[in-house]
Every structure is written in C-alpha cells, then in structure tokens.
Amino acid sequence: MLIQNAVADTLNNTEWAFPLAECIHIGGFAVGVGSIALVDLRLLNLGLRQETAARILRYTEPWTVIAMIFVAFSGFMLFLSQVGIYAINPIFPWKMYVLAAALIYNFTVHRRVATMKDAPPVLSKFVAAISLLLWVSVVFGGIFTGFLE
Amino acid sequence: MSLLTFAQWVQSTPLFTAIRESWYVYPAIMSSHLAGISLFGGMVFIVDLRLLGLAMRKRPIADVVNQLRRLKWVGFAIVATCGILMLGSKAEEYYYNAFFRAKMAVLALILVHALLFRRSVYAKAAEFDRSGTVPGLAKLAASLSLVLWTCMVICGRGIGYIEPPLDKLHARVIEHLHQRAQSADRIVYLDTRTN
C-alpha cells in the first residue's frame, strides 16, 4: 500500500532526511511566497513603488516557479513519509484545497491583474489582499496540520 | 537570578501562561512567524540575488536595496515579535534546547553582518550602479546573508526536534501537582454525595 513505500522507508529511517525535507519545504516557501508577496505589496502600493507590478512579476516569477517546485517536491516527500497520519488529519485536506485555490488564483486572476495596464487601484488592492490571505492561510494550514496529529 | 530561574519567571507571567495554555494560540503565533518569514525571506533573497547579479539585473541595485529596506524591517519586526511570544511562553523548554541556542548565535552573527556591511555595502548601492560593477565585498556580504538566513531556518526547524527534558521542567511539575489535586478533590466530592 501507499503507507509503505521507498520514500517513507528512507525518510523514517534516516535521522536527517525528514528534517532536511522540512527545511527545504520552509526555505522554498519563504522564497516562493515571498516573491509573490513582492508583487502583492506593489499592488497594495506598499513597496517597490518605482517599479510596475508587471515588471516585478516578470522578474520574480522564475524564482516563484523554481521555489514552488522545491516546495511541492519536498512536501510530497513529507506526505509520503506518513500517508496514514495525513489521511486522518482534520486540517490537511483543507490545506490542500486552499493551496489548490491559491495556485489557480496566482496564475490566473493574480497574474492577469498584475500585468494589466491601468488596472483600477481598488481592483489591484483587492486582488493583492486575497492573494496574501490565501498564501498566509496555506502557511497556517501547514502548521496546524502538524499540531493536530 | 540565574538564566533558568529568569526563564521560569518569564513563562509564569499571565500573558505567557495564557499563550501556553491555549491549544490554538501557540500554533497561530508559529504560523504567523512562518508567514512573516515567507514575506521577509523573499525580500532578503531578492536583495541578495540582485547584489550577486542573479535577479532583477536590469533594475538599478539602489532601487532594489532602498525600496525594500523599510519593508524588510517591518517583516523582521513581525517575525521577531512572534518569535519572542513563542520563546516567552515556553522559555524553560527553550533554555534546554541546543538548536535554540544555535539559532540565537546565528542571529547574533546576522546583527554583526548588518553592522559590518551596512556602510560598506548597503549604503553604497548607488555607487555600484554608477561604476557598473559590484565589488567582491558586496558579493561576499550577499552570499553570507543567504548562508546565515538559511542557517536560521535550519536551526529554527531543529528546535522542534529536541524533546524537552520532562524530568527537569518546573512548569510540568506544577501542572502535574495541580491535576492531582483536582482529581483528589473530585473523589472527595463524590464520596460526600454517596454518603
């Protein structure tokens, strides 16, 4: 079954493998979410005001995508190491729903508005606030998953 | 007063006791700590990569460094506040935690880094733009910053892996005695009812 797999064997039987995967997960989302937040802070008119949001998006998007690949890969490893525990965790499915929403939102609505010329400020701010809210919720979901074993 | 008794006193104050005793406040603070890291870490990362010539290459270094300076402080304030709240609520456990001590040592190095390179690198961003080259010292500062912040994340995660020495914890002993007293009360109460 899925509960017993090669990844689980390695992560559960090597002392440093699980913490290493966790550190990659945390470092990765710091970069991934942080680079998205730079665009959001611009949309909210709070930071990097001398650049346009579209430009910041263009500069940071490769880093966002690379970081997300690391986060997703390390996260999947962590999941595989304890499938049984995640399967019965009350918070984990919600984290995945919000994550799916955040990802879809990021590459559709968020990107569309950030690259829009002359987007109305109200729209920009609203879209940025929702983006930050979604990503912060994913982080909360991750921590609460760990606390509600 | 030793550091240990100080830690015990800090966590016994009403605020930190309330944080510790609630099931959701501590994880909520930890989540905010991590959400703050993701906002703030992204900024540190972008500034360092710009100095190394790996990101936002077409934008002036001074723009990137100066525009993010204040936001980085705001992010740091959020992360540090949440960190202090977590530390205070479980000060005694942190006292025994080797990763926590390592993390504070890395934090001290980060402060030294800031003091060392603030004038020689970060205040000179406009000069680098004018001359068109980034000196080795600036690249060293950026690389060290990336290494130090990575160490902070590793030590931070490591804290959770050290089990507190339960036999030494003052707070646990008091909690245990309290529970015992409560269950003893209940037995007495039940006895009087049946009589």
Side-chain angles (χ1 to χ4, degrees), chain A residues 5 7-8 11-12 17-26 70-86 92 95, chain B residues 157 161:
Chain A
N5 56 61
V7 176
L11 263 73
N12 296 330
F18 191 87
L20 177 71
E22 280 192 312
C23 286
I24 293 171
H25 198 63
I26 296 170
F70 274 91
V71 178
F73 187 74
S74 57
F76 191 54
M77 297 288 118
L78 296 171
F79 172 74
L80 284 180
S81 76
Q82 307 181 38
V83 178
I85 284 180
Y86 288 107
F92 184 70
K95 182 191 173 185
Chain B
R157 189 56 284 231
Y161 277 91

Side-chain angles (χ1 to χ4, degrees), chain A residues 22 34 48-51, chain B residues 34 38 59 63 67 157 161:
Chain A
E22 280 192 312
L48 289 170
R49 275 180 237 177
Q50 289 164 35
E51 322 283 338
Chain B
L34 279 143
S38 66
R59 305 306 301 160
D63 273 10
Q67 289 186 78
R157 189 56 284 231
Y161 277 91

Side-chain angles (χ1 to χ4, degrees), chain B residues 105-128:
Chain B
V106 176
L107 182 63
L109 288 177
I110 283 173
L111 291 175
V112 172
H113 177 281
L115 290 173
L116 272 180
F117 296 114
R118 179 175 225 171
R119 279 201 192 154
S120 58
V121 172
Y122 295 94
K124 285 188 178 166
E127 272 180 41
F128 306 157

Side-chain angles (χ1 to χ4, degrees), chain B residues 5 16 23 28 41 56 88 133 147 161 176 178:
Chain B
T5 47
F16 289 129
W23 72 268
M56 300 189 89
T133 52
V147 170
Y161 277 91
H176 181 66
H178 184 67

Side-chain angles (χ1 to χ4, degrees), chain B residues 82-94:
Chain B
C82 295
I84 290 167
L85 290 175
M86 288 194 290
L87 167 64
S89 68
K90 294 188 177 176
E92 196 182 10
E93 286 186 32
Y94 281 93

Side-chain angles (χ1 to χ4, degrees), chain A residues 66-108:
Chain A
I66 292 169
M68 277 179 175
I69 291 168
F70 274 91
V71 178
F73 187 74
S74 57
F76 191 54
M77 297 288 118
L78 296 171
F79 172 74
L80 284 180
S81 76
Q82 307 181 38
V83 178
I85 284 180
Y86 288 107
I88 55 164
N89 190 293
I91 301 288
F92 184 70
W94 290 100
K95 182 191 173 185
M96 290 298 109
Y97 300 147
V98 179
L99 174 64
L103 282 171
I104 293 168
Y105 181 83
N106 190 64
F107 292 106
T108 54

